[in-house]
Amino acid sequence: MRPESLLLLRHHSEKCTVGCPVLNRCLDGGVPCHSITEFVGESGSGKTQLCLQLALSAQLPSSRGGLSASSIFIHTEFPFPFRRLRQLSRAFRMLHPDLPDPCDRVFVRAVHSADELLHLIPTIETFLLYSRSRWRPVRIVVIDSIAALFRSDFENTGSDLRRRSSLFFGISGGLRRLAKKFGLAVVVTNQVVDFIGDGDVRVGNLSNGLYSSGRRVCPALGLAWANCVNSRVFVSRDEDGPVRRRKMSVVFAPHLPHSSCHFLINGEGVLGVEDMQPQQDKTV
């Protein structure tokens, strides 16, 4: 990518609010369209919560940071948190009573394997075309999570590793094509594994490594998958003290410097700590 292209991406790329001004500042306005953004973190760090809130926030008009758009939410972890989505939807409607029922604009689909996801991409494209004429167009596609699709179907053999890499590039290439064609913000979640290796290894912008719940971790799926996403945002947990806080940190992104912020999760959603008085985090 040429330097002038990076400048255009930084200053003119459309973004979608994540529903919180503190988090938006960390991401320089929100999640960018025309690209793939990864939220990576351990279980319970808040990845799914962020994605649910993003899917609702996309329905806001551009004057409020949204895309006036619907969302596709592809889940690979079961069951899907319908109860939490409805809870967030009620809080969303309290803030934005002029909008219709936000749950009607989040289209949920289950996927059980990487091959199924790869073969689903043409169907997604057809649905994107259809949504343009029927409803608010779909501008957000969430996959929660990509790591779950590769957890048990592959062994550490040469043939399986080659097949896995092929699926990585096939899935990410298809998603990137749709993102560019339809102006989508594609968001995938990824899991972490314990870090084992050289303590001096640099990971993106975070020279001291990635830490969550007091242990050093690294993103699952390795370097091959890291090359498939445009931006990576690390979501971690801090168990110290009476208040359970989470932290969002930019690991790498073509349009962002390193930045980070803390947030809490309660019944109303994901909230940056600057937006509220300190209180006990209540994950649902």
Side-chain angles (χ1 to χ4, degrees), residues 44-236:
S45 60
K47 305 184 299 296
T48 298
Q49 307 284 335
L50 284 165
C51 290
L52 291 172
Q53 187 160 294
L54 175 69
L56 295 174
S57 300
Q59 301 173 42
L60 295 171
S62 58
S63 60
R64 295 183 228 173
L67 301 171
S68 297
S70 303
S71 304
I72 295 175
F73 201 113
I74 297 171
H75 69 102
T76 65
E77 306 271 9
F78 300 91
F80 180 80
F82 284 108
R83 180 180 175 184
R84 178 57 169 161
L85 176 61
R86 287 191 290 268
Q87 183 183 36
L88 292 176
S89 178
R90 287 192 294 270
F92 184 84
R93 293 196 74 180
M94 291 288 290
L95 293 173
H96 309 285
D98 55 314
L99 296 180
D101 186 353
C103 286
D104 292 341
R105 297 293 181 266
V106 180
F107 302 99
V108 178
R109 170 68 186 260
V111 167
H112 299 83
S113 71
D115 288 297
E116 182 182 355
L117 177 58
L118 180 62
H119 295 138
L120 184 65
I121 290 176
T123 304
I124 295 174
E125 182 170 10
T126 300
F127 188 81
L128 293 172
L129 290 168
Y130 185 67
S131 73
R132 283 181 165 181
S133 60
R134 298 285 296 183
W135 315 288
R136 295 185 178 209
V138 171
R139 298 287 306 280
I140 298 286
V141 174
V142 173
I143 300 172
D144 182 31
S145 75
I146 191 69
L149 299 176
F150 295 91
R151 183 180 295 151
S152 58
D153 291 344
F154 298 87
E155 297 181 0
N156 195 27
T157 64
S159 60
D160 266 17
L161 290 175
R162 286 191 296 272
R163 178 169 166 261
R164 190 178 77 153
S165 294
S166 177
L167 285 168
F168 284 169
F169 295 124
I171 291 169
S172 63
L175 292 173
R176 188 175 291 111
R177 180 178 62 82
L178 295 182
K180 294 182 181 299
K181 180 176 180 179
F182 295 95
L184 305 178
V186 177
V187 176
V188 299
T189 68
N190 192 6
Q191 298 164 0
V192 297
V193 295
D194 288 331
F195 179 87
I196 301 174
D198 186 351
D200 296 328
V201 172
R202 181 182 176 92
V203 183
N205 292 323
L206 304 181
S207 58
N208 294 325
L210 307 178
Y211 290 86
S212 186
S213 296
R215 73 186 203 275
R216 188 171 184 181
V217 297
C218 62
L221 305 183
L223 183 61
W225 174 253
N227 290 324
C228 293
V229 299
N230 302 105
S231 306
R232 169 171 282 171
V233 178
F234 178 54
V235 186
S236 57

Side-chain angles (χ1 to χ4, degrees), residues 26-52:
C26 182
L27 299 175
D28 193 24
V31 175
C33 299
H34 306 276
S35 69
I36 302 175
T37 299
E38 179 193 77
F39 290 137
V40 58
E42 68 172 307
S43 177
S45 60
K47 305 184 299 296
T48 298
Q49 307 284 335
L50 284 165
C51 290
L52 291 172

